[in-house]
Amino acid sequence: VDDSLVFTDLEPGRIYHFYLRSFCGQDRWSPWQSFSFETKSAFDECLSAIEIIPSPTAECDTETFTTHGATDSGIPATLCSGIPDDDVWFKFTATQRSHSISFVNFCFGGGTGTGPGRSFMTDICQPMIVELRGQTCGDSIYACMEVLPGLTRTLGLPWLEIDSMYYIRVYAADT
């Protein structure tokens, strides 16, 4: 009996549920068991950071992202406390000496992390850590802030170098 199954074309950062039971012989089956798994986020690593295009005006587009499916990128936290085991990455090229980016912690839950197992069904409401990094894939950290659940904070960037690439790493404060 072939006991493996390969799923293709799954969406990144999404939770999937499936059910399983065993055939015990003589028309007997085990009870159904429910399982879940989460696919890896599409912007889980610095090299796959989502590009943000700075707006030349104060009018900006709003987009929603999550840390679902995010894992540890292997870069330790430095200025802010927290465990970056569910970090996601963004990048932008400075078009002016000053930019501002606002972050809202909607509290949709965190990624899988590397800590003790947790239910994928439960949203986790915890502070969000935002880091501004530069150089090659975020080797240098310039700023850090914490965004509490349900709140909005703006990262003001008054000293940027025009045409330089900057990286933003976001992760939940706890495992």
Side-chain angles (χ1 to χ4, degrees):
V1 174
D2 186 4
D3 60 357
S4 65
L5 179 63
V6 177
F7 295 97
T8 59
D9 299 326
L10 299 178
E11 293 180 32
R14 182 167 176 178
I15 299 170
Y16 289 89
H17 306 278
F18 66 98
Y19 298 88
L20 181 68
R21 69 179 186 171
S22 299
F23 177 65
C24 302
Q26 300 177 344
D27 294 328
R28 292 187 3 222
W29 293 86
S30 68
W32 285 104
Q33 294 184 28
S34 173
F35 297 93
S36 298
F37 68 93
E38 190 170 16
T39 54
K40 189 174 179 177
S41 170
F43 50 106
D44 184 47
E45 303 295 335
C46 186
L47 291 173
S48 60
I50 290 178
E51 187 162 5
I52 299 170
I53 308 298
S55 174
T57 68
E59 298 298 320
C60 299
D61 293 331
T62 302
E63 294 191 50
T64 302
F65 297 95
T66 181
T67 59
H68 276 298
T71 60
D72 189 336
S73 296
I75 299 173
T78 52
L79 296 177
C80 277
S81 61
I83 302 169
D85 61 352
D86 59 348
D87 55 356
V88 292
W89 292 83
F90 304 88
K91 65 182 178 182
F92 69 95
T93 301
T95 57
Q96 303 175 47
R97 296 266 311 141
S98 178
H99 287 290
S100 295
I101 302 172
S102 294
F103 296 86
V104 181
N105 187 346
F106 286 116
C107 220
F108 287 138
T112 56
T114 56
R118 61 170 109 138
S119 169
F120 291 118
M121 300 299 291
T122 307
D123 282 344
I124 299 161
C125 195
Q126 58 184 302
M128 177 173 69
I129 305 298
V130 177
E131 297 176 343
L132 176 68
R133 293 177 165 267
Q135 295 184 353
T136 304
C137 226
D139 288 342
S140 295
I141 185 162
Y142 299 127
C144 173
M145 70 178 182
E146 180 179 68
V147 184
L148 296 175
L151 298 181
T152 300
R153 287 201 60 197
T154 299
L155 184 61
L157 313 168
W159 39 259
L160 300 175
E161 200 172 305
I162 295 174
D163 294 328
S164 289
M165 179 71 68
Y166 294 91
Y167 295 86
I168 297 171
R169 177 167 77 161
V170 179
Y171 56 91
D174 300 328
T175 59

